Amino acid sequence: SDFPFQVQYLPIRNANEASRKYDKDKYTKFNKEVQAILSGRMITPNEFEEYYTLMEGFAVTDGRKLSPEALLMIVRYCAQNKGDNVGYRYILTVARDWANLGLITPEQIEAHLEATSNATTSVNKILKALGSTKKSSIDELQLYLKWQEQGFVDECILYVAKSLKKMGRANFEKLDKRLLKYFELHLLSSKEISDYEENVDKIFNLAREINRTLGLYYEDVTNQIETFINPWISLGYQPETLLNIAQDCFVIGKRTLNSLDEHIHYLFNLGIVSQKSYEQYTISQRITKETIKTILKNLNIERNVTSLDIDFWNRWTNVWAFNLEVVDYAVTLAKNRGANLSYVNTILADWHSQHIYTLEQAKLASDNYQTTKHSLNNNTTKITSRSYTKSENEELFNEFKEMDI
């Protein structure tokens, strides 16, 4: 054939990649300086293109761009920490991160590096306290800055680092986990941490005692301590108070750590934290139960007081603000109808909706209700029945069939 079949391999090109052209003369000085900094390897044309793209294509919200002088300072910083053969992708990541923070001018970079230098000195002290002689890394620096943001000061961090060293095999990762634990417990000073650690054995014993009080058993209470005991202590509750609350929760049927936790947060929201305030609360609850028992007796109900009964009472007296004489009158009305505590709640809810709160208003409302009810009964039309014969029924049925519906 004059035109034989041919296969030609063409270079693959990214269709989405636009052709980028930059003024090389503009970056002559930058190219020389960046290559001098990264003397451990040769910079490829592609890498130079990436730097140009970053400087010309990346801008902060106000339109400003990263200057060549600022990027050189970033490259120098990366080389000092990772070596003069540090990869360009790492450099670009640091540069973008800093630019996103608004660090795009030499002045801003210099101020940031000064702060970083001070932090590096602190990190080196921490490494020494951990028993390490290695040079600080950027990752360790980032952890240190995170600890500062959490509220830890150098003195506290060094205290925890030295404590870990005594335990053996201390490093930055373990230090970070330990500080995170203290942060979650709101322990941010060496004194608070020292007091906590001295009471660790007491906390374990408290956890076991609370479990025993609730009728529970866990061979390892570490998880319960982190999930429940430590947060309760951080709220300000003392061991004696927690045990008393656990005992009362067991009596009323709240026999899990989750239900105990809900009750403790309920008390905390009421401002009941100290042992004295809890004792006053329990006395108040005891009086409430006795009052409810009397109400149940007046309704001819013989049973123990339930949590629903207490909820009813709290709603009547605390939320709706009814006094005892109004509640007693509602109980009297409910008793005459042979009803229970739910019906008492219905009566009081109706009065609450009508803004009736005094005994006089309640009696007047009841009298008006009885008068209206009696009048309606007298005026009700009596319906009489009539019998129809078979022929009358057939005639009525035929009339329906003939109707045009």
Side-chain angles (χ1 to χ4, degrees):
S1 173
D2 294 334
F3 302 100
F5 178 77
Q6 294 180 345
V7 176
Q8 182 180 5
Y9 290 96
L10 300 175
I12 298 175
R13 182 169 179 166
N14 188 347
N16 295 325
E17 183 179 0
S19 178
R20 298 172 297 187
K21 293 183 179 180
Y22 300 106
D23 182 2
K24 301 296 189 299
D25 295 335
K26 176 181 177 181
Y27 294 109
T28 301
K29 181 180 178 182
F30 170 83
N31 294 346
K32 291 180 180 179
E33 292 191 24
V34 73
Q35 182 61 81
I37 297 171
L38 301 176
S39 57
R41 61 179 178 82
M42 291 298 296
I43 300 177
T44 65
N46 179 65
E47 180 177 344
F48 280 123
E49 289 282 336
E50 292 287 351
Y51 293 145
Y52 305 154
T53 300
L54 178 63
M55 289 184 285
E56 297 198 11
F58 185 93
V60 292
T61 54
D62 60 2
R64 292 178 301 143
K65 296 181 179 180
L66 184 67
S67 69
E69 294 77 15
L71 183 53
L72 285 171
M73 295 175 72
I74 294 174
V75 173
R76 188 175 293 107
Y77 168 78
C78 293
Q80 289 173 347
N81 285 277
K82 293 288 187 177
D84 57 10
N85 62 343
V86 58
Y88 77 93
R89 295 188 184 278
Y90 179 82
I91 296 172
L92 293 173
T93 299
V94 174
R96 290 192 186 100
D97 289 344
W98 288 14
N100 284 324
L101 294 174
L103 307 175
I104 58 174
T105 66
E107 294 76 19
Q108 291 170 328
I109 298 294
E110 184 177 2
H112 181 70
L113 289 175
E114 184 179 353
T116 301
S117 176
N118 294 333
T120 301
T121 301
S122 296
V123 170
N124 289 331
K125 291 181 180 179
I126 295 170
L127 285 169
K128 184 177 180 180
L130 290 170
S132 174
T133 57
K134 74 183 189 70
K135 187 179 180 181
S136 62
S137 67
I138 294 180
D139 292 335
E140 290 165 343
L141 178 62
Q142 294 301 322
L143 283 176
Y144 171 75
L145 295 176
K146 182 188 75 171
W147 300 335
Q148 280 194 320
E149 291 178 0
Q150 290 175 336
F152 293 104
V153 297
D154 285 8
E155 182 269 337
C156 179
I157 298 173
L158 288 170
Y159 170 81
V160 177
K162 292 175 182 177
S163 300
L164 283 176
K165 181 184 177 182
K166 293 178 181 178
M167 299 169 63
R169 296 184 179 180
N171 55 42
F172 246 69
E173 288 71 24
K174 291 183 179 179
L175 178 58
D176 182 49
K177 290 181 180 179
R178 183 59 62 92
L179 289 174
L180 177 61
K181 171 186 173 182
Y182 294 145
F183 174 74
E184 291 174 345
L185 294 174
H186 308 290
L187 306 175
L188 302 178
S189 71
S190 57
K191 183 180 186 308
E192 291 171 325
I193 293 172
S194 175
D195 292 342
Y196 168 80
E197 293 296 344
E198 288 179 1
N199 290 309
V200 166
D201 291 339
K202 294 180 181 178
I203 292 174
F204 270 85
N205 291 333
L206 173 62
R208 296 187 184 96
E209 190 63 30
I210 289 177
N211 286 333
R212 192 178 302 113
T213 301
L214 294 175
L216 305 173
Y217 174 77
Y218 296 97
E219 184 174 351
D220 184 4
V221 295
T222 303
N223 184 58
Q224 284 71 33
I225 289 175
E226 293 179 356
T227 306
F228 299 108
I229 308 299
N230 285 337
W232 296 339
I233 292 176
S234 68
L235 290 176
Y237 287 95
Q238 296 297 315
E240 179 186 3
T241 308
L242 290 173
L243 284 172
N244 289 337
I245 296 173
Q247 291 170 358
D248 293 338
C249 280
F250 178 83
V251 172
I252 62 177
K254 296 181 178 181
R255 299 176 182 178
T256 67
L257 288 171
N258 282 321
S259 59
L260 174 59
D261 183 59
E262 291 176 0
H263 189 60
I264 288 175
H265 280 87
Y266 167 76
L267 295 172
F268 181 78
N269 290 332
L270 293 177
I272 300 170
V273 177
S274 67
Q275 178 64 19
K276 183 178 180 180
S277 64
Y278 184 68
E279 289 174 355
Q280 294 172 343
Y281 169 79
T282 53
I283 292 173
S284 174
Q285 290 295 100
R286 207 172 295 122
I287 294 173
T288 296
K289 287 183 178 180
E290 291 300 324
T291 304
I292 295 174
K293 281 184 179 180
T294 302
I295 292 174
L296 292 174
K297 185 177 181 180
N298 290 337
L299 292 171
N300 297 320
I301 299 174
E302 292 293 335
R303 62 170 175 78
N304 292 327
V305 176
T306 66
S307 58
L308 178 61
D309 299 334
I310 296 175
D311 289 341
F312 275 146
W313 176 261
N314 288 333
R315 184 183 302 116
W316 302 340
T317 57
N318 296 330
V319 180
W320 294 344
F322 286 115
N323 58 38
L324 182 58
E325 61 179 6
V326 175
V327 174
D328 284 340
Y329 182 62
V331 171
T332 302
L333 295 178
K335 180 180 179 181
N336 294 336
R337 294 170 176 78
N340 53 23
L341 217 59
S342 295
Y343 190 71
V344 176
N345 187 67
T346 300
I347 295 173
L348 292 172
D350 184 55
W351 291 347
H352 173 66
S353 66
Q354 300 180 56
H355 304 286
I356 295 171
Y357 296 107
T358 67
L359 181 59
E360 291 74 17
Q361 291 172 332
K363 287 183 176 180
L364 179 61
S366 178
D367 291 342
N368 291 339
Y369 171 78
Q370 294 298 332
T371 301
T372 303
K373 182 179 179 182
H374 181 70
S375 176
L376 288 174
N377 288 336
N378 290 338
N379 294 331
T380 301
T381 303
K382 294 183 178 180
I383 301 175
T384 58
S385 61
R386 177 186 170 184
S387 298
Y388 294 88
T389 64
K390 181 178 180 181
S391 60
E392 289 175 327
N393 284 331
E394 291 177 350
E395 183 180 354
L396 181 62
F397 181 73
N398 290 331
E399 290 179 356
F400 278 120
K401 292 176 63 178
E402 294 173 359
M403 291 177 63
D404 184 13
I405 301 177

